[in-house]
Amino acid sequence: MLAVGLPMLLVGIGNGLGLGPLTALAMQRIAAKDAGAAAGVVNVAHQLGGTVGLAILVTVFAAAMRAAPVAVNALQHGVTAGLHGAALLAVGGMIACAILIIPANRRGHLW
């Protein structure tokens, strides 16, 4: 339980701490007349990111289950691969923020 519960807890904390500031950052320089459309685009991006991320993780999970050396351990193998994939996606997101979002915001050129 700890092997799955702890990563899921970290995912929840990361979503809570990450999505709010990213939404505020995306909306900070939007004109009042465009705020509704911009909020819709931001929400669609949040939804698509979760959907595409989940699709990738399910694919990794299924591939790892099929490649498991012993059929009895296939579920464990798939879950482990899925959690490793989630960690890689999280690190990739942090790198993308560090390269694309943070420098642009410091220069004042974001949005």
Side-chain angles (χ1 to χ4, degrees):
M1 182 170 143
L2 188 61
V4 175
L6 185 60
M8 294 304 294
L9 180 67
L10 292 175
V11 166
I13 291 170
N15 279 337
L17 293 175
L19 290 180
L22 286 174
T23 300
L25 181 66
M27 298 297 295
Q28 75 181 3
R29 295 189 182 145
I30 302 297
K33 65 182 178 102
D34 297 328
V41 170
V42 169
N43 286 328
V44 166
H46 286 296
Q47 295 295 321
L48 281 177
T51 303
V52 171
L54 181 62
I56 291 169
L57 293 178
V58 167
T59 304
V60 168
F61 171 79
M65 280 190 67
R66 289 184 184 187
V70 179
V72 175
N73 296 331
L75 180 61
Q76 178 185 4
H77 196 64
V79 169
T80 301
L83 291 174
H84 288 157
L88 287 174
L89 285 176
V91 169
M94 290 187 321
I95 290 170
C97 285
I99 292 172
L100 301 172
I101 295 175
I102 294 171
N105 190 37
R106 287 188 180 157
R107 290 189 309 266
H109 298 298
L110 189 63
W111 311 113

